[in-house]
Every structure is written in C-alpha cells, then in structure tokens.
Amino acid sequence: MKSKTDPMGRAIADFHKNGKSAKLRVFSPMFEEDEIPLRTLFRDYDSMPEIEKKALDMATGRILDVGAGAGCHSLVLQDRGHDVTAIDISPLSVITMRERGVTNVLEQDFFTLEGQYDTIIMLMNGIGIVGKLSKMPEFFQQLDKMLAPGGQLLCDSSDLCYIFDGDVPEDMDYYGEQCFQMRYKDTIGSAFQWLYIDIDTLRRVANENGYDAELLMRGEHYDYLAKITKKTK
C-alpha cells in the first residue's frame, strides 16, 4: 500500500481529510528529533513568509512547482490564472493535491521530467532534492533541458553555518549535506540526502555550469531566495 512507504503523503492526506494529524517526525544524525508542522503545508498566501510571496509574485509564463507537497503554492498561482504544473514523488501528496483542486499534477521525479517551463519554483528548501553538492552539475544539465529561453528558477535555501558557530570541522564534507528520515505513525520512510546550499556556493556552482545565481532577498534565519538564469552568450 502507498501509505506504508509514504510518511509525508500519509500525513498530508490525514490533515487534508481531518484538519489535523499525528506528528510527522524527522530524524537526522546532525539534529535532535524534529517535527514538520502540517498546517504550514496548507497555508494561504497571506500566511506565507515574504520569501515565498516574492517568488510567487515573480512567477510568470508556464510554471513548474517542484516538490509541491499539499499544493499551497500551486493553488495560489492557479487562482491567479497561471498555467502551473505541480510535481511530487509522494503518491499520497499527489492524490491530495488533486482533491484540493490543483488541475495539473504529476507523480514525478524532477530529474526525469520532460517539458519546458518559463518559471520553475523550488520553495521551502526545495532545491534540497539535489541531495549532494556533487550532483549540482546533473541538476544544471536537467535545467538545460527544462528552462525555456529566458526562463528562471526561483529557489530558496538556508546556510547551515549557524550550526557550527562559523567553525566547520576541516574533515567534514560540505556542511550543507544532510541525511534525514521521516516517520508518521507506523509509516517509516527511507533515509534520504538533502542539500542546504549557501548563496556563495550556489553562485559558484551556477557559474561553473553556465548559469547566474542572483540573491533576491534574505529571510529571518539564514535563509534566502535566489533567481537562477542561463548565462547569455
């Protein structure tokens, strides 16, 4: 059954159906046990942080919402009359988005998706799906296929330097590479890699792969919004 391997989707489905859910628990070797507050995945535009509002306000043309979750960003864009496609690898999240009224939803991995878009949004640390810094070239190769001429990627991330008080161990791989595992009730997901990338590193790897990364704004806690575009020849 899908619910046995999809803790995030099961939690989203429960909250959608009942207006409440059990704890969606998050485990990591680097952090104490955490919890994802499900209500935040269902928030409306007025309840979103300024970083997300700015990204949605800048989205134009044919839009792709990557890792769309419960579909809160897609619904805002759709209500504004935009042509938006939402994707997520969580089967139950996809079902929930359809039930909530998102018109175009795909159960799809970003790295195997085909098609071109004028704006790609990856919000709530969505660029984390890259997993490891070494996979950034593969990420930009996929962008080469998916960004329409003149297109933009709008993404937010966080600089985890605050965890180390500016003193990152020398023997550590890139400090933004983290491993997580989720649990919801009796559903335990597989461990997965997640990437938090600081703006300077994002600029560097973007430049190395033929892109520009522009800092648009900073959030309240080491987070930021960036716009990534293909370099002009």
Side-chain angles (χ1 to χ4, degrees), residues 113-126:
L113 182 65
E114 296 181 353
Q116 283 203 324
Y117 299 87
D118 302 292
T119 300
I120 298 175
I121 60 171
M122 306 178 82
L123 300 180
M124 299 181 74
N125 282 303

Side-chain angles (χ1 to χ4, degrees), residues 11-65:
I12 285 174
D14 274 3
F15 192 92
H16 170 59
K17 181 179 179 181
N18 304 312
K20 61 182 180 179
S21 65
K23 289 184 178 181
L24 177 57
R25 303 163 65 190
V26 182
F27 303 91
S28 171
M30 281 290 296
F31 305 97
E32 295 182 358
E33 179 184 331
D34 201 359
E35 175 187 353
I36 295 178
L38 268 296
R39 189 172 299 278
T40 64
L41 304 181
F42 289 80
R43 58 192 170 199
D44 60 16
Y45 178 82
D46 290 338
S47 302
M48 293 177 186
E50 294 303 313
I51 277 180
E52 293 177 28
K53 290 180 179 178
K54 185 173 183 65
L56 297 180
D57 293 345
M58 290 180 62
T60 59
R62 190 175 182 218
I63 302 168
L64 176 68
D65 181 4

